[in-house]
Amino acid sequence: MELTVDIQTNRVLDAMMKALGPEGRHNLLAVAALAVKASVQEHVQRYAHGKHFTAHAFGGRPTGHYEKGSAAMTWEADSERGLVHIPIPGISRAYRDLEITPTLANRLTVPVPSGGSTVYGRTVGELRELGWRFFTGPKGHDSEDCLFGTRGKGKQRETKLMFVLKTVVQQGRDPSLLPTMQQNSETAARAMLAECKRVVLKARGAA
């Protein structure tokens, strides 16, 4: 997703931006975008650290989903706007409800809690590489939308419910994923004001 740097709620900065030329606006928006990126990265890293406790509680391994996305964040700016790119699927749930539909298959595989450490943080493909084979329940039965995994032979054979199959998943808004829009705006404003102060002091020193 993209975050747009927004300082319109700050009347002083809004008026200053309107008075500046393209180069000045570009410079301030670049400073703001970089500051918001750093703030969002720090927030996501803290959130990811908390997710590690969840993984360990299931006896599973952290997926690194958020850390990888945080490290891959980028920013850009021109004289009209500043943007922060957050390449983390589903992260927009910080600001709104999210509806997830399958793109590469007919249905989504939703892990069930009873799958425990075997399933947590793993895809069907990864589980197949570990020797698991999959089957669904019989048609017309309550379990027809369930995906079971099995491996081993004879007395060593193990079978368990791993996923529920769904055509759509609704995920409610989770504001803990990212800083609020107001916090992002305040971060941008502080960075821009600090840059203005730095430029003024530098000009005075050169006078």
Side-chain angles (χ1 to χ4, degrees), residues 28-122:
L28 285 183
L29 286 169
V31 168
L34 182 59
V36 172
K37 172 180 170 284
S39 172
V40 170
Q41 281 182 312
E42 183 180 352
H43 184 101
V44 170
Q45 288 163 4
R46 285 199 306 269
Y47 180 86
H49 184 69
K51 295 291 285 185
H52 288 180
F53 289 107
T54 303
H56 293 314
F58 274 101
R61 50 176 185 146
T63 63
H65 172 70
Y66 292 100
E67 291 94 331
K68 292 172 186 174
S70 173
M73 286 183 198
T74 58
W75 65 274
E76 63 177 290
D78 56 26
S79 62
E80 299 300 324
R81 64 177 184 170
L83 293 174
V84 176
H85 302 279
I86 310 175
I88 302 177
I91 200 71
S92 60
R93 193 160 62 94
Y95 303 124
R96 62 178 181 273
D97 294 344
L98 195 63
E99 181 177 280
I100 303 173
T101 55
T103 55
L104 301 177
N106 294 326
R107 289 187 286 181
L108 300 166
T109 51
V110 182
V112 297
S114 61
S117 60
T118 303
V119 177
Y120 188 89
R122 290 192 172 99

Side-chain angles (χ1 to χ4, degrees), residues 53-191:
F53 289 107
T54 303
H56 293 314
F58 274 101
R61 50 176 185 146
T63 63
H65 172 70
Y66 292 100
E67 291 94 331
K68 292 172 186 174
S70 173
M73 286 183 198
T74 58
W75 65 274
E76 63 177 290
D78 56 26
S79 62
E80 299 300 324
R81 64 177 184 170
L83 293 174
V84 176
H85 302 279
I86 310 175
I88 302 177
I91 200 71
S92 60
R93 193 160 62 94
Y95 303 124
R96 62 178 181 273
D97 294 344
L98 195 63
E99 181 177 280
I100 303 173
T101 55
T103 55
L104 301 177
N106 294 326
R107 289 187 286 181
L108 300 166
T109 51
V110 182
V112 297
S114 61
S117 60
T118 303
V119 177
Y120 188 89
R122 290 192 172 99
T123 65
V124 170
E126 289 173 331
L127 289 167
R128 281 200 176 103
E129 291 178 0
L130 295 173
W132 289 93
R133 291 180 293 113
F134 292 90
F135 64 94
T136 57
K139 291 236 182 227
H141 192 273
D142 289 343
S143 63
E144 71 172 307
D145 291 326
C146 296
L147 190 63
F148 297 87
T150 184
R151 69 175 175 180
K153 296 180 179 180
K155 292 183 179 180
Q156 302 301 317
R157 186 183 181 92
E158 181 182 8
T159 300
K160 63 166 65 180
L161 171 62
M162 291 185 167
F163 301 93
V164 174
L165 302 174
K166 293 182 175 290
T167 56
V168 62
V169 172
Q170 301 281 352
Q171 287 190 310
R173 178 174 170 265
D174 182 0
S176 67
L177 286 167
L178 291 173
T180 66
M181 290 296 192
Q182 180 62 32
Q183 288 171 325
N184 291 332
S185 180
E186 290 171 356
T187 296
R190 283 195 300 271

